[in-house]
Amino acid sequence: MEFNKEEFEKSFDEVFEQKSEEINSQLDRKILITMVGDVNCGKSSTINKLMKEDIVSVGAKPGETIHIKEIPYKENIIFVDTPGLDDVVKENTEVTLKYYKNSDVILFFLNAAGTVLSENELNNLKEIEKVSQEIIIVLNKIDAADDIPALVKYIQDHTEYKYPVTPISSRTGENIIMLQNKLLDVLEKKSKDIMFAMNLKEKASIANRWILAAGVSSAAIGASPIPGSDFIPLIGVQVGLMLKLSTLYDKPISKENAKELLIATVVGNAGKTIFRQIVKIVPGAGSIIGASVAGATTVALGYAIKYMHENNIDLQVEHLKPIYEMLLKKEKEKEKQQNCDGDDNDDNNITSV
């Protein structure tokens, strides 16, 4: 089976439109992130550190947070500060529970320097999980506590390992990226992660996350036993990655430019009229070699685009291609080294036996 230029372009156009629509639909959605915890648990400072901007006033005193407070951020993100249910004015309990139910994610704060997961806090958590299970437990102030792993295990044991526990310090910024990733995990399930990601100041770790995930997906496609059948899925992964990175860095890319970049790099057949089976594009498709090459080409493409966006280099073929080829060479060398290390380990295991 062969893919001619017209078929390729038609398939590319369909994939580009589909991926563009998926991303654009995210940008119209609202994100509701609700915070719950005592006044001294560092909710406000955590949000400020996460977004790298003073969007929430800090220094609330006991008794001040007895009502729900909405904190809009940009156009489509709303942070909601709520007290524990035991501190809520009784007539507001139903309203508070409604916020929890409608939230995309709930950040349940605990103070590592205080009494971690007190009876009241555990009761609050049990009431909240009746209306929502999209909960991330944030163990803050780890810079002022000892034996954090023991505290994390204590929380996990007493919450039946239902929710991720993220130990952070909103004062020093330790593990803020971990919290960012946990939030993205939840929002990705709701198709709202791109909207949240593009509003974060720290974009490099998000780009890396997307690039590596796309590499894994491409490797799985490259290992397909039927060369040629997964040509379109591979394009879908790579086009989706290009569009996500361009959205993340707020550097729009046109369909024609994206097509040209993909042909000149991954496909490698710019100017030719015939696009052959995917085995021609991904040598060894249907094998471990095919998987590694498919993953390597996607990862190299992603890192090249990321590099250019971060360094304000125009996303043109003549600029992208040398960077892509350099990164692709590195990815292949890394893959080769990993395979060699694996062979050495196998040899060692045989020897030890």
Side-chain angles (χ1 to χ4, degrees):
M1 177 180 178
E2 291 186 349
F3 288 93
N4 61 35
K5 186 175 182 180
E6 288 72 23
E7 287 178 311
F8 171 82
E9 291 189 346
K10 179 183 177 183
S11 299
F12 181 94
D13 290 348
E14 290 174 356
V15 168
F16 189 92
E17 295 299 332
Q18 176 193 345
K19 296 297 179 181
S20 296
E21 186 176 338
E22 289 174 3
I23 291 174
N24 289 333
S25 67
Q26 280 211 33
L27 305 185
D28 293 329
R29 298 172 184 168
K30 290 191 179 296
I31 298 173
L32 190 67
I33 299 174
T34 297
M35 307 174 290
V36 57
D38 293 335
V39 293
N40 64 342
C41 64
K43 291 176 288 184
S44 299
S45 56
T46 296
I47 296 304
N48 291 342
K49 190 72 73 172
L50 179 70
M51 307 308 291
K52 289 194 173 181
E53 190 173 339
D54 292 334
I55 61 173
V56 191
S57 60
V58 298
K61 297 179 176 56
E64 287 186 358
T65 313
I66 59 173
H67 299 289
I68 299 164
K69 181 181 180 183
E70 287 192 4
I71 305 122
Y73 180 70
K74 299 295 177 70
E75 292 183 2
N76 290 13
I77 301 176
I78 300 173
F79 293 101
V80 181
D81 190 6
T82 69
L85 288 172
D86 51 319
D87 294 326
V88 172
V89 178
K90 294 302 180 184
E91 56 266 26
N92 289 340
T93 300
E94 186 175 340
V95 176
T96 305
L97 286 171
K98 187 175 180 180
Y99 267 97
Y100 295 145
K101 183 177 181 179
N102 293 333
S103 295
D104 291 296
V105 58
I106 297 167
L107 301 181
F108 190 90
F109 282 82
L110 300 174
N111 183 356
T115 302
V116 176
L117 203 61
S118 65
E119 184 178 352
N120 280 343
E121 288 171 330
L122 188 56
N123 288 337
N124 278 329
L125 183 61
K126 288 179 179 178
E127 288 299 314
I128 292 170
E129 67 183 4
K130 290 178 182 177
V131 296
S132 175
Q133 285 75 51
E134 303 292 1
I135 299 170
I136 299 172
I137 298 176
V138 182
L139 180 64
N140 195 14
K141 302 193 178 182
I142 59 174
D143 56 301
D146 298 319
D147 201 356
I148 304 306
L151 289 177
V152 171
K153 187 175 186 307
Y154 176 83
I155 297 167
Q156 291 173 327
D157 287 343
H158 287 77
T159 57
E160 301 177 347
Y161 290 77
K162 290 180 181 178
Y163 312 110
V165 179
T166 309
I168 68 163
S169 169
S170 59
R171 187 181 69 83
T172 67
E174 184 177 357
N175 289 346
I176 289 295
I177 294 296
M178 181 190 297
L179 177 58
Q180 170 184 292
N181 286 329
K182 296 298 182 186
L183 276 163
L184 288 170
D185 286 342
V186 176
L187 293 173
E188 186 174 7
K189 294 185 297 183
K190 298 169 175 281
S191 296
K192 294 186 176 183
D193 58 315
I194 297 175
M195 175 67 207
F196 185 69
M198 66 182 296
N199 281 284
L200 293 170
K201 301 291 192 298
E202 174 53 56
K203 300 186 185 299
S205 63
I206 300 167
N208 292 343
R209 169 194 175 97
W210 289 347
I211 292 167
L212 294 175
V216 170
S217 296
S218 294
I221 293 169
S224 169
I226 309 175
S229 66
D230 291 318
F231 180 71
I232 304 307
L234 184 60
I235 292 177
V237 171
Q238 292 160 347
V239 170
L241 178 60
M242 294 170 76
L243 286 170
K244 286 173 72 174
L245 291 173
S246 295
T247 303
L248 178 67
Y249 288 98
D250 195 21
K251 294 180 183 291
I253 182 171
S254 70
K255 180 168 63 179
E256 290 307 315
N257 191 21
K259 186 187 302 180
E260 185 182 6
L261 294 171
L262 189 61
I263 292 172
T265 54
V266 178
V267 176
N269 285 324
K272 296 186 178 180
T273 58
I274 300 297
F275 293 86
R276 299 187 180 278
Q277 294 177 353
I278 194 169
V279 71
K280 298 294 184 183
I281 299 165
V282 183
S287 68
I288 296 299
I289 295 173
S292 63
V293 172
T297 55
T298 301
V299 168
L301 177 66
Y303 279 129
I305 292 174
K306 174 193 172 196
Y307 177 86
M308 294 178 72
H309 284 332
E310 291 180 343
N311 291 277
N312 294 314
I313 301 172
D314 287 340
L315 206 57
Q316 302 297 327
V317 169
E318 61 269 25
H319 300 148
L320 176 67
K321 196 167 183 179
I323 299 172
Y324 166 81
E325 289 174 348
M326 176 189 69
L327 292 171
L328 179 58
K329 182 179 179 181
K330 288 184 177 180
E331 283 298 315
K332 289 182 177 179
E333 288 173 351
K334 183 171 69 175
E335 183 73 26
K336 183 178 179 181
Q337 184 59 49
Q338 289 172 346
N339 290 337
C340 289
D341 291 343
D343 291 341
D344 290 342
N345 290 335
D346 290 341
D347 291 341
N348 292 335
N349 291 335
I350 292 172
T351 303
S352 64
V353 172

PDB file of all heavy atoms in Angstrom, residues 62-86:
ATOM      1  N   PRO A  62      -7.429  33.656  62.165  1.00  0.00           N
ATOM      2  CA  PRO A  62      -8.496  32.739  62.573  1.00  0.00           C
ATOM      3  C   PRO A  62      -9.838  33.467  62.673  1.00  0.00           C
ATOM      4  O   PRO A  62      -9.926  34.568  63.227  1.00  0.00           O
ATOM      5  CB  PRO A  62      -8.024  32.252  63.951  1.00  0.00           C
ATOM      6  CG  PRO A  62      -6.531  32.352  63.883  1.00  0.00           C
ATOM      7  CD  PRO A  62      -6.249  33.582  63.068  1.00  0.00           C
ATOM      8  N   GLY A  63     -10.862  32.850  62.107  1.00  0.00           N
ATOM      9  CA  GLY A  63     -12.194  33.444  62.161  1.00  0.00           C
ATOM     10  C   GLY A  63     -12.547  34.225  60.912  1.00  0.00           C
ATOM     11  O   GLY A  63     -13.700  34.538  60.673  1.00  0.00           O
ATOM     12  N   GLU A  64     -11.513  34.561  60.080  1.00  0.00           N
ATOM     13  CA  GLU A  64     -11.793  35.343  58.868  1.00  0.00           C
ATOM     14  C   GLU A  64     -12.385  34.483  57.754  1.00  0.00           C
ATOM     15  O   GLU A  64     -13.223  34.950  56.993  1.00  0.00           O
ATOM     16  CB  GLU A  64     -10.500  36.014  58.371  1.00  0.00           C
ATOM     17  CG  GLU A  64     -10.059  37.182  59.237  1.00  0.00           C
ATOM     18  CD  GLU A  64      -8.864  37.911  58.648  1.00  0.00           C
ATOM     19  OE1 GLU A  64      -8.359  37.491  57.595  1.00  0.00           O
ATOM     20  OE2 GLU A  64      -8.443  38.910  59.262  1.00  0.00           O
ATOM     21  N   THR A  65     -11.900  33.254  57.636  1.00  0.00           N
ATOM     22  CA  THR A  65     -12.373  32.399  56.546  1.00  0.00           C
ATOM     23  C   THR A  65     -13.533  31.541  57.022  1.00  0.00           C
ATOM     24  O   THR A  65     -13.387  30.358  57.289  1.00  0.00           O
ATOM     25  CB  THR A  65     -11.230  31.506  56.023  1.00  0.00           C
ATOM     26  OG1 THR A  65     -10.073  32.299  55.819  1.00  0.00           O
ATOM     27  CG2 THR A  65     -11.607  30.848  54.715  1.00  0.00           C
ATOM     28  N   ILE A  66     -14.690  32.162  57.152  1.00  0.00           N
ATOM     29  CA  ILE A  66     -15.878  31.406  57.551  1.00  0.00           C
ATOM     30  C   ILE A  66     -16.913  31.423  56.427  1.00  0.00           C
ATOM     31  O   ILE A  66     -17.958  30.812  56.540  1.00  0.00           O
ATOM     32  CB  ILE A  66     -16.505  31.975  58.845  1.00  0.00           C
ATOM     33  CG1 ILE A  66     -16.890  33.438  58.661  1.00  0.00           C
ATOM     34  CG2 ILE A  66     -15.555  31.808  60.025  1.00  0.00           C
ATOM     35  CD1 ILE A  66     -17.653  34.014  59.830  1.00  0.00           C
ATOM     36  N   HIS A  67     -16.569  32.121  55.351  1.00  0.00           N
ATOM     37  CA  HIS A  67     -17.455  32.168  54.199  1.00  0.00           C
ATOM     38  C   HIS A  67     -16.673  31.753  52.954  1.00  0.00           C
ATOM     39  O   HIS A  67     -15.449  31.792  52.930  1.00  0.00           O
ATOM     40  CB  HIS A  67     -18.036  33.571  53.996  1.00  0.00           C
ATOM     41  CG  HIS A  67     -18.855  34.047  55.163  1.00  0.00           C
ATOM     42  ND1 HIS A  67     -20.087  33.521  55.471  1.00  0.00           N
ATOM     43  CD2 HIS A  67     -18.602  35.002  56.102  1.00  0.00           C
ATOM     44  CE1 HIS A  67     -20.566  34.119  56.553  1.00  0.00           C
ATOM     45  NE2 HIS A  67     -19.676  35.014  56.952  1.00  0.00           N
ATOM     46  N   ILE A  68     -17.402  31.389  51.921  1.00  0.00           N
ATOM     47  CA  ILE A  68     -16.775  31.013  50.656  1.00  0.00           C
ATOM     48  C   ILE A  68     -16.300  32.271  49.936  1.00  0.00           C
ATOM     49  O   ILE A  68     -16.996  33.279  49.902  1.00  0.00           O
ATOM     50  CB  ILE A  68     -17.785  30.263  49.778  1.00  0.00           C
ATOM     51  CG1 ILE A  68     -18.247  28.998  50.484  1.00  0.00           C
ATOM     52  CG2 ILE A  68     -17.190  29.927  48.422  1.00  0.00           C
ATOM     53  CD1 ILE A  68     -19.491  28.404  49.912  1.00  0.00           C
ATOM     54  N   LYS A  69     -15.104  32.181  49.361  1.00  0.00           N
ATOM     55  CA  LYS A  69     -14.541  33.332  48.653  1.00  0.00           C
ATOM     56  C   LYS A  69     -14.057  32.892  47.277  1.00  0.00           C
ATOM     57  O   LYS A  69     -13.187  32.026  47.163  1.00  0.00           O
ATOM     58  CB  LYS A  69     -13.385  33.933  49.450  1.00  0.00           C
ATOM     59  CG  LYS A  69     -12.759  35.152  48.796  1.00  0.00           C
ATOM     60  CD  LYS A  69     -11.609  35.684  49.626  1.00  0.00           C
ATOM     61  CE  LYS A  69     -10.969  36.898  48.977  1.00  0.00           C
ATOM     62  NZ  LYS A  69      -9.803  37.378  49.761  1.00  0.00           N
ATOM     63  N   GLU A  70     -14.628  33.455  46.218  1.00  0.00           N
ATOM     64  CA  GLU A  70     -14.180  33.174  44.866  1.00  0.00           C
ATOM     65  C   GLU A  70     -13.048  34.118  44.484  1.00  0.00           C
ATOM     66  O   GLU A  70     -13.117  35.321  44.730  1.00  0.00           O
ATOM     67  CB  GLU A  70     -15.325  33.332  43.863  1.00  0.00           C
ATOM     68  CG  GLU A  70     -16.356  32.230  43.920  1.00  0.00           C
ATOM     69  CD  GLU A  70     -17.304  32.275  42.730  1.00  0.00           C
ATOM     70  OE1 GLU A  70     -17.094  33.128  41.837  1.00  0.00           O
ATOM     71  OE2 GLU A  70     -18.245  31.466  42.691  1.00  0.00           O
ATOM     72  N   ILE A  71     -11.992  33.546  43.876  1.00  0.00           N
ATOM     73  CA  ILE A  71     -10.865  34.347  43.417  1.00  0.00           C
ATOM     74  C   ILE A  71     -10.670  34.090  41.927  1.00  0.00           C
ATOM     75  O   ILE A  71     -10.039  33.094  41.537  1.00  0.00           O
ATOM     76  CB  ILE A  71      -9.571  34.015  44.182  1.00  0.00           C
ATOM     77  CG1 ILE A  71      -9.777  34.159  45.686  1.00  0.00           C
ATOM     78  CG2 ILE A  71      -8.418  34.895  43.728  1.00  0.00           C
ATOM     79  CD1 ILE A  71      -9.507  32.932  46.472  1.00  0.00           C
ATOM     80  N   PRO A  72     -11.229  34.936  41.056  1.00  0.00           N
ATOM     81  CA  PRO A  72     -11.073  34.737  39.605  1.00  0.00           C
ATOM     82  C   PRO A  72      -9.626  34.974  39.183  1.00  0.00           C
ATOM     83  O   PRO A  72      -8.953  35.884  39.685  1.00  0.00           O
ATOM     84  CB  PRO A  72     -12.000  35.792  38.995  1.00  0.00           C
ATOM     85  CG  PRO A  72     -12.885  36.244  40.120  1.00  0.00           C
ATOM     86  CD  PRO A  72     -12.075  36.092  41.360  1.00  0.00           C
ATOM     87  N   TYR A  73      -9.141  34.135  38.261  1.00  0.00           N
ATOM     88  CA  TYR A  73      -7.803  34.315  37.702  1.00  0.00           C
ATOM     89  C   TYR A  73      -7.911  34.273  36.192  1.00  0.00           C
ATOM     90  O   TYR A  73      -8.400  33.296  35.629  1.00  0.00           O
ATOM     91  CB  TYR A  73      -6.861  33.221  38.204  1.00  0.00           C
ATOM     92  CG  TYR A  73      -5.461  33.353  37.649  1.00  0.00           C
ATOM     93  CD1 TYR A  73      -4.636  34.401  38.069  1.00  0.00           C
ATOM     94  CD2 TYR A  73      -4.982  32.460  36.712  1.00  0.00           C
ATOM     95  CE1 TYR A  73      -3.360  34.538  37.564  1.00  0.00           C
ATOM     96  CE2 TYR A  73      -3.701  32.592  36.198  1.00  0.00           C
ATOM     97  CZ  TYR A  73      -2.892  33.633  36.628  1.00  0.00           C
ATOM     98  OH  TYR A  73      -1.620  33.765  36.119  1.00  0.00           O
ATOM     99  N   LYS A  74      -7.455  35.321  35.544  1.00  0.00           N
ATOM    100  CA  LYS A  74      -7.603  35.479  34.107  1.00  0.00           C
ATOM    101  C   LYS A  74      -9.096  35.352  33.771  1.00  0.00           C
ATOM    102  O   LYS A  74      -9.944  35.785  34.541  1.00  0.00           O
ATOM    103  CB  LYS A  74      -6.759  34.449  33.349  1.00  0.00           C
ATOM    104  CG  LYS A  74      -5.263  34.572  33.647  1.00  0.00           C
ATOM    105  CD  LYS A  74      -4.692  35.890  33.157  1.00  0.00           C
ATOM    106  CE  LYS A  74      -3.229  36.064  33.501  1.00  0.00           C
ATOM    107  NZ  LYS A  74      -2.324  35.177  32.765  1.00  0.00           N
ATOM    108  N   GLU A  75      -9.421  34.738  32.653  1.00  0.00           N
ATOM    109  CA  GLU A  75     -10.824  34.696  32.234  1.00  0.00           C
ATOM    110  C   GLU A  75     -11.551  33.437  32.686  1.00  0.00           C
ATOM    111  O   GLU A  75     -12.709  33.487  33.070  1.00  0.00           O
ATOM    112  CB  GLU A  75     -10.920  34.806  30.703  1.00  0.00           C
ATOM    113  CG  GLU A  75     -10.500  36.172  30.164  1.00  0.00           C
ATOM    114  CD  GLU A  75     -10.670  36.252  28.663  1.00  0.00           C
ATOM    115  OE1 GLU A  75     -11.139  35.273  28.067  1.00  0.00           O
ATOM    116  OE2 GLU A  75     -10.329  37.298  28.089  1.00  0.00           O
ATOM    117  N   ASN A  76     -10.855  32.303  32.648  1.00  0.00           N
ATOM    118  CA  ASN A  76     -11.575  31.039  32.787  1.00  0.00           C
ATOM    119  C   ASN A  76     -11.178  30.191  33.983  1.00  0.00           C
ATOM    120  O   ASN A  76     -11.611  29.051  34.088  1.00  0.00           O
ATOM    121  CB  ASN A  76     -11.391  30.208  31.505  1.00  0.00           C
ATOM    122  CG  ASN A  76     -12.128  30.789  30.324  1.00  0.00           C
ATOM    123  OD1 ASN A  76     -12.582  31.918  30.371  1.00  0.00           O
ATOM    124  ND2 ASN A  76     -12.258  30.027  29.268  1.00  0.00           N
ATOM    125  N   ILE A  77     -10.362  30.717  34.871  1.00  0.00           N
ATOM    126  CA  ILE A  77      -9.941  29.939  36.042  1.00  0.00           C
ATOM    127  C   ILE A  77     -10.443  30.627  37.308  1.00  0.00           C
ATOM    128  O   ILE A  77     -10.233  31.832  37.492  1.00  0.00           O
ATOM    129  CB  ILE A  77      -8.415  29.787  36.097  1.00  0.00           C
ATOM    130  CG1 ILE A  77      -7.906  29.086  34.833  1.00  0.00           C
ATOM    131  CG2 ILE A  77      -7.995  28.994  37.332  1.00  0.00           C
ATOM    132  CD1 ILE A  77      -6.400  28.969  34.743  1.00  0.00           C
ATOM    133  N   ILE A  78     -11.096  29.865  38.151  1.00  0.00           N
ATOM    134  CA  ILE A  78     -11.596  30.411  39.423  1.00  0.00           C
ATOM    135  C   ILE A  78     -11.088  29.550  40.573  1.00  0.00           C
ATOM    136  O   ILE A  78     -11.309  28.334  40.593  1.00  0.00           O
ATOM    137  CB  ILE A  78     -13.141  30.441  39.452  1.00  0.00           C
ATOM    138  CG1 ILE A  78     -13.684  31.302  38.325  1.00  0.00           C
ATOM    139  CG2 ILE A  78     -13.637  30.971  40.806  1.00  0.00           C
ATOM    140  CD1 ILE A  78     -15.199  31.246  38.191  1.00  0.00           C
ATOM    141  N   PHE A  79     -10.371  30.171  41.484  1.00  0.00           N
ATOM    142  CA  PHE A  79      -9.993  29.509  42.722  1.00  0.00           C
ATOM    143  C   PHE A  79     -11.049  29.842  43.774  1.00  0.00           C
ATOM    144  O   PHE A  79     -11.532  30.974  43.842  1.00  0.00           O
ATOM    145  CB  PHE A  79      -8.623  29.993  43.207  1.00  0.00           C
ATOM    146  CG  PHE A  79      -7.485  29.589  42.311  1.00  0.00           C
ATOM    147  CD1 PHE A  79      -6.940  30.489  41.405  1.00  0.00           C
ATOM    148  CD2 PHE A  79      -6.963  28.299  42.366  1.00  0.00           C
ATOM    149  CE1 PHE A  79      -5.892  30.119  40.570  1.00  0.00           C
ATOM    150  CE2 PHE A  79      -5.921  27.919  41.540  1.00  0.00           C
ATOM    151  CZ  PHE A  79      -5.391  28.832  40.639  1.00  0.00           C
ATOM    152  N   VAL A  80     -11.416  28.863  44.558  1.00  0.00           N
ATOM    153  CA  VAL A  80     -12.430  29.070  45.589  1.00  0.00           C
ATOM    154  C   VAL A  80     -11.832  28.708  46.932  1.00  0.00           C
ATOM    155  O   VAL A  80     -11.371  27.579  47.138  1.00  0.00           O
ATOM    156  CB  VAL A  80     -13.683  28.212  45.324  1.00  0.00           C
ATOM    157  CG1 VAL A  80     -14.728  28.469  46.405  1.00  0.00           C
ATOM    158  CG2 VAL A  80     -14.258  28.506  43.946  1.00  0.00           C
ATOM    159  N   ASP A  81     -11.824  29.669  47.834  1.00  0.00           N
ATOM    160  CA  ASP A  81     -11.298  29.439  49.187  1.00  0.00           C
ATOM    161  C   ASP A  81     -12.473  29.134  50.113  1.00  0.00           C
ATOM    162  O   ASP A  81     -13.410  29.928  50.233  1.00  0.00           O
ATOM    163  CB  ASP A  81     -10.548  30.683  49.668  1.00  0.00           C
ATOM    164  CG  ASP A  81      -9.780  30.408  50.955  1.00  0.00           C
ATOM    165  OD1 ASP A  81      -9.742  29.242  51.402  1.00  0.00           O
ATOM    166  OD2 ASP A  81      -9.217  31.364  51.514  1.00  0.00           O
ATOM    167  N   THR A  82     -12.440  27.960  50.727  1.00  0.00           N
ATOM    168  CA  THR A  82     -13.508  27.590  51.658  1.00  0.00           C
ATOM    169  C   THR A  82     -12.900  27.161  52.984  1.00  0.00           C
ATOM    170  O   THR A  82     -11.795  26.628  53.020  1.00  0.00           O
ATOM    171  CB  THR A  82     -14.354  26.417  51.118  1.00  0.00           C
ATOM    172  OG1 THR A  82     -13.555  25.227  51.113  1.00  0.00           O
ATOM    173  CG2 THR A  82     -14.853  26.693  49.716  1.00  0.00           C
ATOM    174  N   PRO A  83     -13.615  27.364  54.068  1.00  0.00           N
ATOM    175  CA  PRO A  83     -13.170  26.843  55.357  1.00  0.00           C
ATOM    176  C   PRO A  83     -13.523  25.369  55.467  1.00  0.00           C
ATOM    177  O   PRO A  83     -14.202  24.822  54.590  1.00  0.00           O
ATOM    178  CB  PRO A  83     -13.984  27.668  56.360  1.00  0.00           C
ATOM    179  CG  PRO A  83     -15.259  27.944  55.622  1.00  0.00           C
ATOM    180  CD  PRO A  83     -14.876  28.100  54.170  1.00  0.00           C
ATOM    181  N   GLY A  84     -13.087  24.729  56.503  1.00  0.00           N
ATOM    182  CA  GLY A  84     -13.537  23.368  56.762  1.00  0.00           C
ATOM    183  C   GLY A  84     -15.026  23.370  57.060  1.00  0.00           C
ATOM    184  O   GLY A  84     -15.569  24.383  57.529  1.00  0.00           O
ATOM    185  N   LEU A  85     -15.687  22.279  56.806  1.00  0.00           N
ATOM    186  CA  LEU A  85     -17.139  22.240  57.007  1.00  0.00           C
ATOM    187  C   LEU A  85     -17.526  22.487  58.457  1.00  0.00           C
ATOM    188  O   LEU A  85     -18.612  22.985  58.739  1.00  0.00           O
ATOM    189  CB  LEU A  85     -17.691  20.883  56.541  1.00  0.00           C
ATOM    190  CG  LEU A  85     -17.713  20.666  55.025  1.00  0.00           C
ATOM    191  CD1 LEU A  85     -18.098  19.233  54.700  1.00  0.00           C
ATOM    192  CD2 LEU A  85     -18.688  21.631  54.363  1.00  0.00           C
ATOM    193  N   ASP A  86     -16.633  22.152  59.379  1.00  0.00           N
ATOM    194  CA  ASP A  86     -16.955  22.386  60.789  1.00  0.00           C
ATOM    195  C   ASP A  86     -16.912  23.871  61.127  1.00  0.00           C
ATOM    196  O   ASP A  86     -17.431  24.296  62.165  1.00  0.00           O
ATOM    197  CB  ASP A  86     -15.991  21.609  61.701  1.00  0.00           C
ATOM    198  CG  ASP A  86     -14.533  21.858  61.354  1.00  0.00           C
ATOM    199  OD1 ASP A  86     -14.229  21.904  60.159  1.00  0.00           O
ATOM    200  OD2 ASP A  86     -13.714  22.004  62.273  1.00  0.00           O
TER     201      ASP A  86
END
